[in-house]
Amino acid sequence: MNGTVMAVSSSGEHSFSKPTRESITLLAGLGVEGDAHAGVTVKHRSRVAQDPTQPNLRQVHLIHDELLAEVGAAGFRVKPGELGENITTKGIDLLGLPVGTLLRIGDEAVVEVTGLRNPCLQIDAFQNGLLKQVVGRDEAGNVVRRAGVMSVVRTGGVVRPGDVIKVELPAEPHRPLDRV
């Protein structure tokens, strides 16, 4: 299973949206160079308030372009980077990947999928009603999170739009993604 990088984004500030860039540089064990969420320990404000020594399992946020198309069909206009993701992908079922999946991006970079992004109320502040598009419940009442996946950088490298993403599944048994 292969996909493509559609866009890359980063921000040195703790802002909701991130501007798109020509490229981003992933740093092993840290995240996106110059991004506010880069680091060995958590950088997300709510998680820092809980325990600033927690490992940062949210170094790189990926969202599938197909989600942006779905919310667009529902009347929302969302461009790459506007939901805070670092990498917008196409052609990969990110939400269906198991924990520990490696994504080999471009010539060098490798990220390991750690879990699902837990959508927050800031999404409705960005566009009213959008939160219900990216989080809901299934028939059994279980929460379904659709706002992308989080990962850590295993091997650094430059990532650009157009780069190929190669999916490498972990050994079985596979563990389904949960929020991180």
Side-chain angles (χ1 to χ4, degrees):
M1 175 180 4
N2 291 339
T4 306
V5 174
M6 298 304 293
V8 294
S9 308
S10 67
S11 176
E13 300 175 10
H14 282 279
S15 56
F16 180 73
S17 295
K18 297 179 187 234
T20 57
R21 310 280 183 196
E22 289 184 20
S23 68
I24 57 173
T25 300
L26 302 186
L27 303 173
L30 296 173
V32 178
E33 182 177 48
D35 194 83
H37 291 100
V40 174
T41 56
V42 293
K43 301 302 176 200
H44 193 275
R45 290 177 176 168
S46 66
R47 293 174 190 274
V48 168
Q50 291 172 358
D51 178 2
T53 66
Q54 296 176 71
N56 188 2
L57 301 178
R58 302 165 53 97
Q59 294 174 358
V60 180
H61 177 201
L62 299 95
I63 282 185
H64 47 297
D65 189 59
E66 294 84 353
L67 175 66
L68 304 184
E70 285 179 40
V71 300
F76 297 90
R77 182 167 163 77
V78 182
K79 295 183 272 188
E82 289 187 331
L83 292 180
E85 76 274 14
N86 301 109
I87 301 175
T88 309
T89 68
K90 188 170 189 77
I92 298 173
D93 177 13
L94 292 175
L95 305 178
L97 298 174
V99 172
T101 298
L102 297 180
L103 301 176
R104 298 184 180 281
I105 308 171
D107 294 332
E108 299 175 293
V110 180
V111 299
E112 179 180 337
V113 177
T114 56
L116 297 168
R117 175 191 184 184
N118 191 31
C120 65
L121 292 174
Q122 288 182 340
I123 292 174
D124 266 352
F126 172 67
Q127 286 186 39
N128 191 37
L130 184 57
L131 182 60
K132 287 185 179 180
Q133 299 293 314
V134 297
V135 67
R137 296 200 178 267
D138 64 15
E139 300 79 29
N142 300 308
V143 175
V144 176
R145 295 171 179 87
R146 300 178 350 112
V149 299
M150 308 307 286
S151 65
V152 295
V153 181
R154 293 296 177 216
T155 305
V158 176
V159 178
R160 295 178 179 84
D163 281 351
V164 172
I165 305 169
K166 296 177 183 171
V167 176
E168 186 177 307
L169 297 174
E172 293 191 16
H174 292 162
R175 291 184 312 146
L177 296 177
D178 198 1
R179 71 181 181 96
V180 291

